[in-house]
Amino acid sequence: MAGLFDALQAEIAAIAPVRRIGRITEIGRGTLAVSGLAGCAGLGDRVGIGRGYGEVIRLTREGATILPDNPPEGIRIGDPVDLVGPATIAPDDSWIGRIVDPYGLPLDGRPLFRGPVSRPLRAAAPAAAQRRHLGGRLRTGTAAFDTLLPLVRGQRIGLFAGSGVGKSSLLAKFARGVEADVVVIALIGERGRELRDFTEKVLGPQGMARSVVVAATSDQSPLARRRCAWAAMSVAEHFRDQGRHVLFLADSITRFAEAHREVALASGEGGDLRGYPPSVAHMIMSLAERAGPGPQEAGDITAVLSVLVAGSDMEEPVADILRGVLDGHVVMDRRIAERGRFPAIDLLRSVSRSLPDAANAEENALIGEARRLLGAYDRAEMMIQAGLYSKGSDPVVDRAIRVWPALDGFLAEDSPEGTAASFRRLAACLAL
C-alpha cells in the first residue's frame, strides 16, 4: 500500500500548477519559431504544441526554435506553446516486465506508475577515478561467449552487423541467458510490427520476466528515437544505483546516431563527418561511458551495443567512433549467416578486451590455439575449396582442416551447463 501511495504522490508532484506560455511566430520547414520563452526555456526542454510535443533545439534573444514530434500540419501563427520543462524520466521497480516508450508511458496497454524520483535523460557518467575494475566472467548461455569471447561484469561490447544476419536473435539470447539482475533493452527505430514479435516470440516470457523494454519505432520523430537510448540508459542507472547488476542492450546505436543527425541538422549544425554532424561523436561516446562498472556503492551496467554496418564496413563513422570507446567488438558476417551458422560471428575479426584476465592460463591456451587454427584455415580456405591444397604441405593447415567442422559447429552451440562445460567441449574439438 505504501508503494501505491508513493506512486500517486509522484504523479501529483509531476503536475505543474503554473506553466509558461509562448506563441508561434514562424512556421518553417519542420521547425517552429516561438516568442515569449527566450528568458525561461533551456536547450533541450520539452514543450507542448496543441496535442503534441516538441523540443527546444535553438535559443536566441528573439525566441526559441522548436522541433515538433509530429508533422506541423494544422499549426497556425499565434498558437500557444506550453513550456513543460527539462526532459526527464522517472523509472520504477514496477517497470520490470513492461514495455514503455521513451517518455515513460506504457506501450502494452496496462497502467504504469512513474517512480518517485525523476532522472535526467543525459546524466553524467560516474566519476572515472571512483569506478571499480571490470568484474568476473559472466555466463551467457552461448558457447562462443562463454569461452572465446568472454563477457565480464561491467564490460561494454559492440555488436557490428548488417541487417538480417541474426543480430536481434543474439541480443535476445543475451537477454535470456546472461547473468544479470535486470535487463534493460532499447529498441531504437525498430519496425513497428516487430515489437510484439521480439518481446513475445524472440525474447519470450523468460526474457521479459526480468526486462524493461524501451521502444521507439521507425515512424516516430527523430526526437523520440534519440530519446529512446537516453531513456533506456536512465532506466538502467536507476537499477544500478540500487546496487543491482544491469544488462543493457541497445539495438541500434546507428539509428540513435541517425536520429541525432536529423535533430542536429534542423538546429543548424552542418554534416561534416561523412554526412554526420561533429557532435555525433560526443553523443555516442557519452552514452557509452554511462555504462560500465559503477562507483563503489552502486552496481554495474554491462552493455551490448549493436551497430548496423553496411557491407561490413567497420570504418564508417558510427562504427569507428563506438569501437574506440568499447571493451571489445563482435563482428557478424553475412557470408556465415548465408551458409546457415548462427550466431554468424566472425571470430577472427572479433575481440574481447577482457582477455587474458577473464581466463586462466589453461583456458587462454585453448583460446589461442582455436584462433590459430581458425586463422590458418581462413588463409588457406580459397585453395582448399578450389582443390588446390595438397595434404601434407603445411602441418598447421592439415590440423586446421581436420578440426574446422567441429570448431565451426562449436561457435553455434548454446551453453546451458556453463563456462567450464563449454571449455571442455572446446578442448574436445581441438583434440580431434
Side-chain angles (χ1 to χ4, degrees):
M1 185 65 71
L4 177 61
F5 281 118
D6 289 343
L8 288 172
Q9 287 177 345
E11 294 287 347
I12 294 170
I15 300 172
V18 178
R19 284 187 175 173
R20 300 276 188 170
I21 300 294
R23 297 286 172 177
I24 295 175
T25 59
E26 183 181 341
I27 302 174
R29 299 181 61 181
T31 60
L32 309 172
V34 176
S35 65
L37 299 180
C40 51
L43 200 64
D45 280 0
R46 289 188 76 205
V47 296
I49 310 166
R51 295 184 179 180
Y53 291 91
E55 183 177 307
V56 178
I57 60 172
R58 189 165 179 264
L59 286 167
T60 66
R61 291 184 179 181
E62 289 73 34
T65 301
I66 307 297
L67 182 63
D69 269 341
N70 301 314
E73 282 80 4
I75 295 177
R76 296 170 298 211
I77 299 293
D79 280 357
V81 175
D82 176 15
L83 179 61
V84 177
T88 60
I89 193 167
D92 189 72
D93 290 5
S94 63
W95 289 18
I96 296 176
R98 303 295 303 275
I99 308 170
V100 302
D101 73 3
Y103 303 98
L105 301 175
L107 292 175
D108 50 14
R110 293 181 286 148
L112 184 76
F113 282 116
R114 62 185 291 121
V117 178
S118 292
R119 307 183 69 98
L121 288 186
R122 298 180 62 182
Q130 298 176 12
R131 303 185 83 157
R132 292 188 300 273
H133 298 292
L134 293 176
R137 186 166 59 193
L138 300 171
R139 288 181 56 177
T140 66
T142 305
F145 291 94
D146 276 359
T147 54
L148 300 166
L149 293 169
L151 181 66
V152 302
R153 179 166 172 151
Q155 188 175 1
R156 301 170 302 196
I157 67 169
L159 192 60
F160 298 82
S163 57
V165 297
K167 168 174 51 63
S168 295
S169 296
L170 181 55
L171 288 173
K173 272 192 173 185
F174 284 152
R176 295 192 301 267
V178 173
E179 292 179 73
D181 299 316
V182 182
V183 182
V184 178
I185 305 171
L187 299 179
I188 308 163
E190 283 291 329
R191 291 177 285 271
R193 66 169 182 81
E194 291 188 341
L195 178 58
R196 286 191 65 182
D197 282 345
F198 180 82
T199 55
E200 295 178 6
K201 297 179 181 178
V202 181
L203 193 58
Q206 177 188 351
M208 277 300 299
R210 60 173 187 161
S211 299
V212 180
V213 177
V214 184
T217 54
S218 59
D219 62 326
Q220 291 185 265
S221 72
L223 293 174
R225 285 181 276 126
R226 184 177 69 164
R227 181 184 171 115
C228 182
W230 290 333
M233 186 61 78
S234 294
V235 174
E237 290 168 338
H238 164 78
F239 293 107
R240 178 204 65 194
D241 291 347
Q242 296 177 356
R244 304 197 204 186
H245 174 217
V246 184
L247 175 65
F248 178 82
L249 307 175
D251 188 16
S252 69
I253 298 301
T254 302
R255 296 194 188 106
F256 167 69
E258 289 170 348
H260 174 68
R261 175 173 59 188
E262 293 182 52
V263 176
L265 292 177
S267 66
E269 188 178 356
D272 303 324
L273 187 63
R274 289 173 61 180
Y276 287 95
S279 61
V280 76
H282 179 258
M283 287 292 170
I284 292 173
M285 290 187 287
S286 61
L287 179 72
E289 279 296 330
R290 290 168 66 181
Q296 295 300 325
E297 68 280 2
D300 304 304
I301 300 176
T302 301
V304 181
L305 311 175
S306 76
V307 180
L308 287 167
V309 286
S312 299
D313 180 13
M314 294 290 287
E315 306 305 320
E316 63 92 22
V318 177
D320 192 43
I321 292 165
L322 191 59
R323 192 174 52 200
V325 296
L326 296 178
D327 307 309
H329 56 272
V330 177
V331 179
M332 301 183 73
D333 193 296
R334 187 174 302 281
R335 293 172 300 174
I336 297 174
E338 287 171 348
R339 61 178 172 82
R341 196 255 279 165
F342 294 96
I345 301 165
D346 186 341
L347 182 69
L348 298 177
R349 297 172 64 198
S350 303
V351 174
S352 174
R353 293 178 183 168
S354 65
L355 288 173
D357 295 338
N360 60 36
E362 182 181 352
E363 292 168 345
N364 276 315
L366 289 173
I367 293 169
E369 181 68 2
R371 282 186 170 274
R372 186 172 75 96
L373 293 176
L374 287 172
Y377 186 89
D378 183 70
R379 290 189 296 272
E381 183 175 16
M382 188 174 295
M383 294 179 62
I384 295 167
Q385 297 297 334
L388 300 176
Y389 177 77
S390 299
K391 185 177 181 180
S393 301
D394 187 329
V396 177
V397 174
D398 289 345
R399 187 172 173 223
I401 293 172
R402 188 166 64 252
V403 305
W404 186 85
L407 278 178
D408 190 61
F410 173 80
L411 293 174
E413 290 181 2
D414 290 336
S415 178
E417 297 179 0
T419 301
S422 292
F423 269 109
R424 288 194 295 271
R425 171 64 181 143
L426 177 60
C429 293
L430 295 174
L432 295 175

